[in-house]
Amino acid sequence: MLAHLAQQKRKRISGAAVMTQGADYIKEIASIAKAGEMYREAKIKFVAETFHKSEDEVRAAVDKALEVLKGGNGQNKSPDEYQKRFQEFAAQPSHVRGSRFKNFLNFANGCGIDRETVEKQLRDYDRKLCKVAIVCAKDIKPEPVKWLWKGWLARGKIEIAAGTKGDGKTTLGLSLASTVSCGGKWPDSTIAEMGKVLIWSGEDGAADTIIPRLIAMGADLNNIFILSTVTERDGEKRPFDPSTDLAALEDTIARIGGVDLVIIDPFVSAVTRGKNSHNNAETRQGLQHVVDFAEKHDCAVLGIHHLTKGTVGRDPLDRVTGSLAFTALARIVLATVTRKESESEGPPRMLLRVASNLGPSGGGFGYDIEMTILHEPAIEVSRIKWLEEVEGDAHELMAEAEEVKDKSDSALAKACEFLREILKVGPKSAKEMERRFADAGHSEKTIRRAKAELKIKSFRNKTTPEVWMWTLPEHEPF
């Protein structure tokens, strides 16, 4: 009896060892199949010796594994579950695929399918469904641009409002939303057609910022909707993501009876994940779903965007942060600017029409940001106060507003007089000059301008070459 039990125990141990060895063998075969060809033969020989197999037997197993990895028609096909999941994944819009590709790839790898094969299968899937349509120009009926705000916000198009920190870009966008929601007056005093607005903000809270500002600007909150969460298939909720979830808005938009204006703040968040917002081609691809959304729902999409720091004076289109595709895709590009000196003539802030593919460019409207108090509960909140219309080229208007002028018109003249007085007796060292004009309160920028104005020369001291000297042209020692 004891001998029989011992024999059964030995069989169980032996069987477990075989099963363990089998699992390890399969792992090694998969590893060889995924390895480069230059290492494959050496690994086959090693596995054959380790698991007491012939090299031909190992090679045959590797070949079958390669068939699976390449999506071949051999006996070791991918599991039915992979095919089912692949069809579900491939049927998703491209921007949804981009956000979920990593998870699907992990699943595919678990089925023995590598990245290259998955990408090829997706290309083949798309190619089969792809159909190119051509339309005879004669069959296309001309139609006018449909405006939400004539000249400024077009239906079915993307518009961008770009500015720097402190310009009140978000508040300005909410002012436009308020006007649409209640059928109020645009800054040019024309009357807006009442409509519905969708707002997505990745930077400001709805309850403590967006809603109070809308109330302060007279919005009809019944016509404004805040995009908040998305419920996944498994019931899990997550924040709305404009880079992946615009297509999922179909039923929601139908439920509220359509939409007239969509505000995305910041607009860069709408670029499909994985796309480089500084690359022209990738940005175009990453924003195509927004273009399609605007056209399909006949709504204006206003993207709140940024101007790059340190670009004052440059062409406004070149100052928009990121790829040029942002301004190329937008049919109208707007810019906000804050006047640097409050004493200067003109409104403290301006909304300017930098470029338009649908009408005239240039001009704009002045505005200011004022604080007010809401009651029940008491909340201090900012709102936009629209001012007079401004005329002129947007580039020139921005340059004039952002120019930091000297404290008096005679600053340059005073600096020239200061330099002439010191240098009239002869050359002086650059270090001494820098110290003296700093003590006199002249800015470095003004001194540089005065130096250029007087054509002051710099040269090395002959006795001490490491010392630089400044001199008036008439005292130049050579």
Side-chain angles (χ1 to χ4, degrees):
M1 182 66 177
L2 291 175
H4 176 72
L5 291 173
Q7 184 180 13
Q8 292 296 321
K9 184 176 181 180
R10 284 195 299 271
K11 286 183 178 180
R12 287 197 300 270
I13 293 173
S14 177
V18 171
M19 288 177 66
T20 302
Q21 186 186 48
D24 291 340
Y25 176 66
I26 292 171
K27 288 181 182 178
E28 290 295 335
I29 293 298
S31 174
I32 295 172
K34 293 177 182 178
E37 290 186 12
M38 63 182 296
Y39 303 108
R40 196 167 289 156
E41 284 301 317
K43 284 179 172 286
I44 287 174
K45 187 173 182 179
F46 170 76
V47 170
E49 292 176 354
T50 302
F51 293 94
H52 307 292
K53 308 277 188 180
S54 69
E55 291 185 22
D56 288 341
E57 186 179 358
V58 175
R59 194 172 287 108
V62 171
D63 289 342
K64 289 182 178 180
L66 285 169
E67 286 182 354
V68 174
L69 289 176
K70 294 177 180 178
N73 295 319
Q75 293 179 348
N76 287 343
K77 291 183 178 179
S78 300
D80 291 340
E81 178 62 20
Y82 172 76
Q83 293 299 333
K84 179 182 177 183
R85 289 280 293 275
F86 174 81
Q87 292 296 325
E88 292 175 353
F89 178 74
Q92 299 292 327
S94 58
H95 63 279
V96 176
R97 281 190 199 168
S99 64
R100 299 177 181 175
F101 181 75
K102 185 175 181 180
N103 288 338
F104 179 76
L105 184 60
N106 289 337
F107 168 77
N109 291 159
C111 296
I113 311 297
D114 64 358
R115 183 189 185 107
E116 182 179 353
T117 302
V118 171
E119 290 177 342
K120 180 180 182 302
Q121 290 174 343
L122 287 171
R123 288 195 299 270
D124 291 342
Y125 178 91
D126 290 340
R127 193 176 295 115
K128 290 177 182 178
L129 297 178
C130 181
K131 295 179 181 179
V132 178
I134 60 173
V135 182
C136 179
K138 185 179 179 181
D139 297 331
I140 300 175
K141 183 179 179 180
E143 57 183 36
V145 174
K146 290 178 282 187
W147 293 101
L148 191 62
W149 175 20
K150 189 172 182 179
W152 294 82
L153 294 174
R155 289 182 177 274
K157 313 294 181 183
I158 292 176
E159 285 84 27
I160 286 179
T164 58
K165 186 175 181 180
D167 288 349
K169 302 181 296 296
T170 297
T171 308
L172 187 144
L174 295 177
S175 174
L176 301 179
S178 299
T179 300
V180 172
S181 73
C182 66
K185 281 187 178 182
W186 294 113
D188 58 6
S189 296
T190 58
I191 303 300
E193 182 180 349
M194 185 182 295
K196 294 182 173 63
V197 183
L198 281 176
I199 298 174
W200 180 84
S201 175
E203 297 178 347
D204 294 303
D208 59 10
T209 303
I210 296 175
I211 300 303
R213 291 181 185 178
L214 289 170
I215 294 172
M217 291 184 282
D220 182 346
L221 299 185
N222 292 306
N223 288 329
I224 293 185
F225 303 85
I226 310 297
L227 292 166
S228 57
T229 60
V230 174
T231 304
E232 296 280 14
R233 294 176 183 175
D234 57 6
E236 289 292 320
K237 289 188 176 183
R238 60 173 175 79
F240 181 87
D241 185 345
S243 70
T244 58
D245 297 329
L246 279 180
L249 275 174
E250 304 290 333
D251 294 340
T252 303
I253 290 175
R255 192 166 60 251
I256 65 174
V259 64
D260 300 279
L261 174 63
V262 175
I263 295 178
I264 301 177
D265 181 13
F267 191 52
V268 69
S269 300
V271 178
T272 303
R273 291 180 188 175
K275 300 294 184 182
N276 183 354
S277 63
H278 291 271
N279 179 284
N280 193 25
E282 290 194 23
T283 301
R284 284 179 176 272
Q285 294 172 1
L287 287 174
Q288 187 58 46
H289 66 291
V290 185
V291 175
D292 296 340
F293 179 89
E295 183 175 347
K296 180 174 182 179
H297 297 284
D298 196 32
C299 62
V301 175
L302 177 63
I304 306 300
H305 205 56
H306 296 278
L307 295 178
T308 304
K309 293 179 180 178
T311 58
V312 172
R314 290 172 54 185
D315 187 305
L317 289 177
D318 295 334
R319 296 177 62 185
V320 175
T321 301
S323 161
L324 291 175
F326 281 106
T327 55
L329 285 173
R331 299 297 82 196
I332 299 174
V333 178
L334 309 176
T336 58
V337 61
T338 299
R339 195 170 296 279
K340 298 303 180 185
E341 295 190 350
S342 57
E343 297 85 2
S344 302
E345 292 185 5
R349 293 177 175 84
M350 292 181 287
L351 172 67
L352 302 174
R353 186 169 46 194
V354 172
S356 174
N357 292 88
L358 307 174
S361 300
F365 298 93
Y367 69 95
D368 201 0
I369 300 173
E370 60 181 17
M371 304 303 294
T372 187
I373 301 293
L374 297 184
H375 301 287
E376 298 181 7
I379 303 174
E380 186 177 29
V381 62
S382 61
R383 65 183 179 187
I384 297 294
K385 178 183 179 182
W386 291 103
L387 303 173
E388 70 272 17
E389 185 174 359
V390 294
E391 296 180 351
D393 177 76
H395 188 179
E396 294 177 0
L397 289 169
M398 290 185 74
E400 185 272 331
E402 292 179 313
E403 181 183 5
V404 180
K405 300 177 181 178
D406 292 310
K407 291 184 178 179
S408 72
D409 294 335
S410 61
L412 178 60
K414 288 181 179 179
C416 289
E417 183 181 350
F418 171 78
L419 289 175
R420 209 182 275 112
E421 182 68 22
I422 295 176
L423 295 174
K424 69 180 181 180
V425 297
K428 298 289 182 182
S429 72
K431 281 193 174 296
E432 180 186 351
M433 293 300 298
E434 289 171 0
R435 176 182 57 78
R436 293 184 68 167
F437 70 64
D439 290 344
H442 294 288
S443 71
E444 185 177 348
K445 179 180 177 181
T446 304
I447 289 295
R448 284 200 306 268
R449 290 171 59 202
K451 186 182 176 187
E453 180 77 14
L454 297 176
K455 295 182 173 55
I456 291 173
K457 303 292 183 180
S458 296
F459 66 95
R460 291 182 184 274
N461 191 313
K462 289 184 178 180
T463 55
T464 52
E466 69 276 9
V467 176
W468 284 89
M469 309 291 290
W470 284 11
T471 184
L472 292 168
E474 56 266 32
H475 297 314
E476 198 168 348
F478 48 84

